[in-house]
Amino acid sequence: MYLGKVMVVFGTRPEAIKMAPVVKELQKVPDIHTVVTVTAQHREMLDQVLRLFEIQPDYDLNLMETRQDLFSITIGALSGLKEVLEKEKPDLVIVHGDTTTTLAASLAAFYMRIPVAHVEAGLRTRNKYSPFPEEMNRTLTGRLTELHFAPTDTSRENLLAEATAEFKIWVTGNTVIDALLSIIKDDYQFGREFDGIDMSKRLILVTTHRRENWGERMREIYQALLELVEEFPDIAVVFPVHKNPVVRSIAEEMLSGKPRIHLLEPLDYEPFAHLMNISYLVVTDSGGLQEEAPALGKPVLVLRDTTERPEAVTAGTVKLVGTSRRKIYEETKKLLSDPREYDKMARAINPYGDGKAARRIVRELISFLYVRIGAQV
Ligand code: UD1
Ligand code: UDP
């Protein structure tokens, strides 16, 4: 029995990684017509993921501009999605997480009275400006959502605290674990992108991109890295630099050409995940890495003052260190010098799922479409 048409909308690298398992799972259901629309708020970094997971979007709004701002992404996504939604008239729109694409797509669907399903629902810091604009993007998306797929019990509790109806929430695990487990292989061979890196060193994997860290905070972070490589001759910093020119310019100015600091282009997810797997520790302001690295048993120092992912902090494998040079230096030094401190954090834990989140989500989507048809006849 034909169940209906669902449109999956995403726009950035992490959304693509976390939506790929859902798209793949949906495409296995012959009774659902799946339409994939990318806003391409990211371009190269999105395309890397689409290639890896062999996803061919039905619509590509090709929005990305150099130095785009929140207004231009929102306006472009809203008007592009209006056209696509008017043409396709899906029965359901599925969005992910907390980007500006997420909020614009939920709003566009709402304006057309199309129900929204939100994957990775319910993450909260309760601080409007941290992370910015993600905290409000996901909170507002939550208000527009019919089906909330919460990765953990904590995210479910957050939704309940906002008076979200209990029967609209499902705890599914995070689809990032589905993606990660599908990628990691025992016999993976590292390619040319790692030429020149001494893999026998203890590798510190670094990524930074958060808007609230732009400028002086980023300088503090990079200064701490310089001090650490100076002090520890047996470490190397591997830093695939986000394409954002704001991040690039500071990273290149401060770190380019420094011994044992390797600035790389954004890596494809496959080499990146395996790099994480052989790293000694991860220093990052990313959201996704706080979920992936604990699953691989890697300690994570988070360059932020707040996190919407408290589960791994509670379990002891993720620590919030903020962005002060001294604090980053001291916390990293502790892990590099004290094996007991390191062992306390380096435990594989997986509060974010078992790799079956996408299956659970699609099962609920099928039920939703089925009941909807029943209500129409
Ligand atoms: C966006 C999301 C953020 C998410 C992050 C993941 C918003 C407001 N921000 O932040 O929530 O955590 O993605 O990485 O939704 N660029 C390229 N090529 C690319 C991607 C980006 O050149 O493939 C450059 C462009 O100059 C672009 C800039 O990066 O203007 C910023 O991209 P944007 O999506 O606005 O912000 P991010 O910091 O990537
Ligand atoms: N990632 C990647 N290549 C890189 C850096 C990160 O594939 O060079 C992956 C990483 O494994 C994670 C996601 O991109 O799944 C995180 O993206 P980002 O940090 O840009 O966004 P956030 O998770 O903070 O929204």
Side-chain angles (χ1 to χ4, degrees):
M1 184 176 80
Y2 177 67
L3 291 174
K5 186 189 285 183
V6 302
M7 186 179 290
V8 185
V9 184
F10 52 91
T12 65
R13 169 176 66 192
E15 287 168 89
I17 291 170
K18 291 168 164 184
M19 279 299 223
V22 177
V23 171
K24 292 289 168 193
E25 204 58 33
L26 274 170
Q27 287 173 340
K28 288 186 202 160
V29 186
D31 296 331
I32 294 181
H33 179 182
T34 303
V35 177
V36 175
T37 298
V38 294
T39 61
Q41 172 181 335
H42 283 176
R43 187 70 277 170
E44 307 91 312
M45 286 161 55
L46 173 73
D47 292 341
Q48 287 178 308
V49 185
L50 295 175
R51 264 196 309 275
L52 174 66
F53 289 101
E54 297 176 338
I55 294 174
Q56 271 150 10
D58 300 279
Y59 295 91
D60 186 333
L61 305 184
N62 199 21
L63 287 188
M64 199 197 81
E65 291 166 6
T66 309
R67 294 189 187 267
Q68 64 202 7
D69 64 24
L70 300 177
F71 291 88
S72 64
I73 312 167
T74 309
I75 293 162
L78 268 179
S79 62
L81 287 167
K82 173 175 186 264
E83 254 178 62
V84 175
L85 291 174
E86 277 174 352
K87 177 155 178 250
E88 288 290 338
K89 299 190 172 49
D91 298 295
L92 182 71
V93 167
I94 311 176
V95 299
H96 181 277
D98 53 22
T99 70
T100 295
T101 288
T102 314
L103 176 59
S106 320
L107 189 58
F110 168 69
Y111 284 163
M112 306 260 316
R113 296 172 191 255
I114 300 168
V116 173
H118 188 198
V119 177
E120 200 181 83
L123 278 63
R124 297 288 185 270
T125 60
R126 307 261 178 241
N127 179 337
K128 198 188 273 185
Y129 294 106
S130 179
F132 173 83
E134 290 82 2
E135 177 69 7
M136 281 319 283
N137 283 347
R138 58 192 170 218
T139 305
L140 296 171
T141 296
R143 303 305 301 165
L144 299 167
T145 293
E146 280 305 307
L147 294 92
H148 304 259
F149 296 118
T152 66
D153 286 328
T154 308
S155 36
R156 176 177 181 275
E157 294 300 322
N158 288 336
L159 290 165
L160 291 173
E162 291 169 5
T164 309
E166 198 170 354
F167 71 92
K168 294 184 175 183
I169 309 172
W170 291 268
V171 177
T172 60
N174 196 309
T175 56
V176 78
I177 304 297
D178 304 27
L180 185 68
L181 298 183
S182 75
I183 288 300
I184 293 282
K185 305 273 179 302
D186 287 341
D187 56 354
Y188 182 76
Q189 300 287 327
F190 287 94
R192 303 294 306 268
E193 58 273 54
F194 297 98
D195 283 358
I197 302 175
D198 181 351
M199 299 290 214
S200 68
K201 302 275 183 211
R202 291 190 288 177
L203 301 182
I204 303 195
L205 175 60
V206 176
T207 75
T208 61
H209 71 80
R210 295 247 83 82
R211 266 186 159 69
E212 61 275 15
N213 284 346
W214 288 359
E216 202 40 49
R217 285 164 163 255
M218 240 161 223
R219 289 184 181 277
E220 288 264 315
I221 296 167
Y222 301 157
Q223 190 57 41
L225 298 177
L226 288 167
E227 287 169 27
L228 286 160
V229 284
E230 180 85 23
E231 171 141 2
F232 292 90
D234 68 329
I235 66 168
V237 167
V238 186
F239 180 0
V241 186
H242 192 289
K243 281 274 180 198
N244 192 329
V246 181
V247 179
R248 294 210 140 203
S249 60
I250 306 179
E252 278 163 14
E253 176 202 318
M254 291 186 65
L255 304 177
S256 175
K258 303 289 182 203
R260 285 177 290 109
I261 297 190
H262 304 276
L263 300 185
L264 307 182
E265 285 301 311
L267 291 166
D268 281 0
Y269 187 50
E270 205 177 15
F272 185 83
H274 288 90
L275 173 62
M276 196 160 31
N277 205 21
I278 61 157
S279 292
Y280 192 72
L281 69 97
V282 176
V283 176
T284 187
D285 63 11
S286 162
L289 266 71
Q290 295 175 56
E291 297 151 347
E292 294 164 326
L296 300 174
K298 304 297 167 182
V300 186
L301 298 180
V302 178
L303 306 163
R304 295 169 52 176
D305 302 324
T306 58
T307 184
E308 57 287 315
R309 294 167 168 91
E311 296 85 353
V313 177
T314 307
T317 68
V318 168
K319 195 183 264 187
L320 282 185
V321 297
T323 53
S324 109
R325 176 185 60 80
R326 180 107 323 261
K327 176 87 172 156
I328 298 165
Y329 169 82
E330 277 166 6
E331 291 292 344
T332 312
K333 183 175 173 175
K334 210 191 289 175
L335 290 178
L336 290 169
S337 325
D338 184 343
R340 273 170 314 170
E341 286 293 327
Y342 183 84
D343 290 343
K344 265 200 270 172
M345 284 187 81
R347 281 175 295 105
I349 62 137
N350 218 335
Y352 298 107
D354 57 2
K356 294 180 188 151
R359 258 180 265 176
R360 293 187 187 100
I361 289 168
V362 171
R363 196 176 59 211
E364 297 310 330
L365 294 175
I366 291 171
S367 302
F368 174 82
L369 292 169
Y370 194 76
V371 170
R372 196 167 173 274
I373 290 173
Q376 282 165 357
V377 288

